[in-house]
Amino acid sequence: MDDLPPKDLFLQSVARCTASAAFIPALYDRFTSASDEIRAKFRFTDFEQQNKALKRSLEMCAFAIAGTPEALAELTARAKTHDRDHLNIEPRFYDIWVDTIIETAAEYDDQWSDAIEAAWRRVLSHVVKHMIRKY
């Protein structure tokens, strides 16, 4: 299984993680606990909606790294909503987000391996670089 392309390893892992209804709330709990600034960014968030959006966003990340035009357009739109003129998600928060999501995924994916972690890091770093460029 670990010989699959990163996109496929990532998507399979996302499916295993999101099979648990507790995964995304655990991720946001860990992320918002990382700092008062991050917690403040989410103070008005509808987490029911946010939880649904994150699963879709993770899938979009995989297709963006594969160069799918629709996913790239969605990633660009997401970058705009997170830029300094909108949600103002500063670039320094993205490393925390990546580490938090990977720590949480490692807990929820019963097939977690070094190759799967590398796939998560590759996919998410591609997305984060795009988000930061658009900041």
Side-chain angles (χ1 to χ4, degrees):
M1 175 184 78
D2 285 354
D3 58 345
L4 293 172
K7 173 185 149 265
D8 295 333
L9 283 175
F10 177 81
L11 283 171
Q12 289 177 5
S13 179
V14 167
R16 287 188 297 273
C17 291
T18 57
S20 169
F23 170 68
I24 294 175
L27 163 64
Y28 279 115
D29 184 54
R30 179 175 271 150
F31 186 53
T32 58
S33 296
S35 79
D36 290 338
E37 283 180 286
I38 292 171
R39 187 174 13 268
K41 294 279 185 189
F42 285 89
R43 70 184 172 275
F44 300 117
T45 300
D46 174 349
F47 277 99
E48 185 175 323
Q49 184 64 30
Q50 187 70 25
N51 292 351
K52 291 176 190 172
L54 182 64
K55 183 175 190 280
R56 169 80 180 112
S57 292
L58 290 173
E59 292 165 351
M60 177 268 307
C61 289
F63 289 103
I65 195 172
T68 305
E70 297 83 10
L72 291 170
E74 189 173 332
L75 177 59
T76 297
R78 188 71 37 85
K80 183 174 176 77
T81 65
H82 286 65
D83 72 11
R84 68 177 45 85
D85 297 323
H86 296 89
L87 293 173
N88 193 29
I89 306 303
E90 297 171 47
R92 63 192 173 93
F93 292 126
Y94 288 107
D95 285 340
I96 299 167
W97 182 76
V98 168
D99 289 341
T100 299
I101 199 166
I102 287 173
E103 290 168 12
T104 309
E107 291 178 11
Y108 282 85
D109 183 347
D110 62 357
Q111 296 179 36
W112 194 258
S113 67
D114 290 344
I116 292 170
E117 180 174 344
W120 277 80
R121 289 198 181 278
R122 182 168 177 195
V123 169
L124 296 178
S125 71
H126 175 80
V127 169
V128 164
K129 286 176 188 173
H130 185 80
M131 299 291 281
I132 290 170
R133 274 194 310 270
K134 301 291 184 179
Y135 179 73

